[in-house]
Amino acid sequence: MTLFRRSALAAGLATLLAGPALAQTQITIQHALPLNSHYGAGALAFQEALQRLTSNRFAVTIQRNDNEREMIESVQIGTLDCTITSTGPVGNFVPAVRNVDVPFLFRDYAHARGVLDSEIGQELLAQFTPRGLAGVIWMENGFRHLTNSRREVTTPEHVRGLKVRTMENQVHMRAFTALGALPTPMAFSELVPALQQGTVDGQENPIPVIVANNLNQVQRHLSLTAHVYSPAVLICSPATLAALSAEDRAHFMAAARAAQEANRNRVSEDERNGVDELRRRGMTVITEVDTAAFQNALAPAFAEFERTLDGALLRRIRDWRPAG
Ligand code: EAX
């Protein structure tokens, strides 16, 4: 046997004996916003934590996809591992989630976070499973406010006749109809072109979303209506979770908690700084909104939600108080 063949044989054997390189498990997570956003902060924290806790046996890829319904569908058929999404379209997949989309249901961020982290939130996450989804952990989009380019809005009368883009969310659409607006549901990906072309007059989103997407460039007036709290949720493919060992499942949940913390911290930061930033960018900001008038105008919708959604659950959520 020639020297060359002996060397080649030795090299081949060495590689064989070294065993296969430790293959990394790839996890892809998608969300609808720029990386510099409250969702991006959550995704980055998830990536850092899972890679650190598994000593890089996992590699997390973060991608942007501004169609939340599409992302949930991809997770459901198993072509996407995870998504961070608002609950906007989620009620079309998990009807029970519509309960947390009711306007003026949550008093403030402490109430919303407390409820979603309580047994009430866990009961709702369990409702994802029979729908072919894994609701991993609640995250946060924020309290939604109304923007438009037609007029300053302080009362429901100012909303009457406005073409308002809503998420593909039946609860929100019913609420804006009760206010006399013309709700126009569409995915986030279609929002800016619709505002630019005047297909719609306005939209509603939390401060973090308005800031992260520079919606001030296509909207003139911001009214701090805080008409509904918009939860977000980390949803993953059941197959992705089923493939995890018990140890890696624990690392995965620790990374999910890190994502929740980073996401909420960024929402709090954006809530502190975002309104002034939008003023600096030229938006007219209405801070004195007649909230009682909005709540009165929504009374018919509230009565309908008590009948068509889970009235008992809505009462549990309203009555929830922190322990102690
Ligand atoms: O989840 O579609 C929306 O208005 C959402 O708030 C946005 O995609 C962030």
Side-chain angles (χ1 to χ4, degrees), residues 29-33 37-43 68 71-72 83-91 97 100-101 106 109 112-113 115-117 121-122 124-125 128 134-144 167 169 172 205-206 208-209 228-236 256 259-264 267:
I29 183 168
Q30 290 184 351
H31 63 86
L33 300 177
S37 69
H38 52 313
Y39 290 173
E68 294 186 325
M71 290 189 284
I72 300 165
T83 180
I84 296 172
T85 175
S86 76
T87 54
V90 174
V97 168
V100 294
D101 289 328
F106 293 103
Y109 278 104
R113 295 172 182 178
V115 166
L116 294 174
D117 291 349
Q122 292 310 308
L124 283 169
L125 290 178
F128 284 68
V136 175
I137 196 168
W138 289 104
M139 297 185 66
E140 185 163 82
N141 197 14
F143 277 91
R144 302 178 77 93
M167 297 190 286
N169 182 298
H172 291 185
N205 245 297
V209 174
V228 65
Y229 173 78
S230 185
V233 54
L234 173 62
I235 308 174
C236 294
Q260 180 193 65
E261 182 181 9
N263 158 251
R264 287 175 171 174
V267 170

Side-chain angles (χ1 to χ4, degrees), residues 16-323:
L16 196 62
L17 294 175
L22 275 178
Q24 278 186 319
T25 301
Q26 300 294 326
I27 298 284
T28 301
I29 183 168
Q30 290 184 351
H31 63 86
L33 300 177
L35 201 52
N36 182 17
S37 69
H38 52 313
Y39 290 173
L44 286 167
F46 178 83
Q47 177 187 59
E48 187 282 328
L50 188 61
Q51 293 177 174
R52 172 170 46 81
L53 291 168
T54 64
S55 302
N56 288 317
R57 287 186 291 107
F58 282 70
V60 177
T61 301
I62 302 169
Q63 298 172 341
R64 182 174 183 181
N65 175 344
D66 46 11
N67 188 314
E68 294 186 325
R69 175 176 29 79
E70 272 182 14
M71 290 189 284
I72 300 165
E73 287 166 352
S74 298
V75 169
Q76 198 171 43
I77 64 175
T79 54
L80 175 62
D81 292 307
C82 298
T83 180
I84 296 172
T85 175
S86 76
T87 54
V90 174
N92 302 311
F93 298 84
V94 187
V97 168
R98 290 177 182 148
N99 287 283
V100 294
D101 289 328
V102 171
F104 296 112
L105 177 66
F106 293 103
R107 297 184 291 275
D108 52 31
Y109 278 104
H111 180 214
R113 295 172 182 178
V115 166
L116 294 174
D117 291 349
S118 75
E119 70 284 353
I120 296 174
Q122 292 310 308
E123 290 166 19
L124 283 169
L125 290 178
Q127 303 266 345
F128 284 68
T129 307
R131 301 283 174 163
L133 296 164
V136 175
I137 196 168
W138 289 104
M139 297 185 66
E140 185 163 82
N141 197 14
F143 277 91
R144 302 178 77 93
H145 304 288
L146 178 68
T147 69
N148 84 96
S149 286
R150 291 269 300 275
R151 51 183 171 258
E152 295 186 2
V153 171
T154 58
T155 69
E157 285 66 40
H158 298 150
V159 178
R160 189 168 299 283
L162 280 183
K163 289 176 288 186
V164 178
R165 177 269 178 177
T166 69
M167 297 190 286
E168 294 160 302
N169 182 298
Q170 295 174 24
V171 174
H172 291 185
M173 291 166 64
R174 178 66 187 85
F176 276 94
T177 299
L179 293 174
L182 303 171
T184 311
M186 65 182 76
F188 190 70
S189 50
E190 301 166 47
L191 173 58
V192 171
L195 292 170
Q196 286 170 328
Q197 294 152 25
T199 312
V200 292
D201 304 311
Q203 65 89 44
E204 42 87 56
N205 245 297
I207 298 299
V209 174
I210 299 169
V211 171
N213 293 280
N214 295 304
L215 295 185
N216 50 282
Q217 293 176 351
V218 287
Q219 290 282 260
R220 178 162 173 64
H221 305 291
L222 166 62
S223 296
L224 298 183
T225 50
H227 54 276
V228 65
Y229 173 78
S230 185
V233 54
L234 173 62
I235 308 174
C236 294
S237 159
T240 298
L241 297 184
L244 300 175
S245 67
E247 178 195 8
D248 287 340
R249 177 70 177 256
H251 292 327
F252 197 96
M253 289 311 297
R257 287 188 292 274
Q260 180 193 65
E261 182 181 9
N263 158 251
R264 287 175 171 174
N265 287 344
R266 178 60 186 267
V267 170
S268 299
E269 179 188 337
D270 286 351
E271 284 286 7
R272 283 192 298 272
N273 307 322
V275 172
D276 284 343
E277 172 60 21
L278 292 170
R279 281 196 185 93
R280 274 194 295 275
R281 296 181 189 177
M283 286 194 93
T284 304
V285 179
I286 311 299
T287 56
E288 299 305 316
V289 170
D290 189 345
T291 301
F294 273 93
Q295 292 169 334
N296 291 337
L298 287 170
F302 288 150
E304 190 176 306
F305 297 146
E306 290 297 318
R307 292 194 310 274
T308 58
L309 300 176
D310 183 337
L313 175 60
L314 293 174
R315 277 187 296 282
R316 282 176 68 196
I317 290 172
R318 290 194 185 96
D319 294 346
W320 184 90
R321 295 291 185 281

